[in-house]
Amino acid sequence: NDAEVKLTGTCEVVMIAGNGAKVVGSATTVQVTGNKNTLDLDGAQSINVTGNENAVSYKKSLDAKKKVGVTNTGNKNKVSAPK
């Protein structure tokens, strides 16, 4: 809980199950099941948010030919992409 993590390079899978974590970097697959986490991603391919009150932002897809796949089944989560 309440961890701050900076990813180096592009991680294959990142799973956040705690609460109050702050994560920056890139990951192919992101799974967030905890609550009140903040992720500021440079790139991602798949984002699945099942926790509550999480904020996930990403700048780009890691695959230029595909959009980032987003699943958000939790409550009061915000997943945002560049406009």
Side-chain angles (χ1 to χ4, degrees), residues 11-18 21 23 27 29-34 39 48:
C11 295
E12 189 66 29
V13 177
V14 171
M15 298 179 75
I16 307 298
V23 179
T29 301
V30 178
Q31 173 72 40
V32 183
T33 59
L39 288 80
N48 185 7

Side-chain angles (χ1 to χ4, degrees), residues 18 48-49 70:
N48 185 7
V49 186
V70 176

Side-chain angles (χ1 to χ4, degrees), residues 5-15 23-30 39-47 57-63:
V5 179
K6 182 176 182 181
L7 307 174
T8 302
T10 300
C11 295
E12 189 66 29
V13 177
V14 171
M15 298 179 75
V23 179
V24 296
S26 292
T28 304
T29 301
V30 178
L39 288 80
D40 185 13
L41 304 171
D42 293 322
Q45 191 55 49
S46 173
I47 300 170
S57 65
Y58 61 94
K59 295 181 178 130
K60 65 179 181 178
S61 171
L62 294 176
D63 183 341

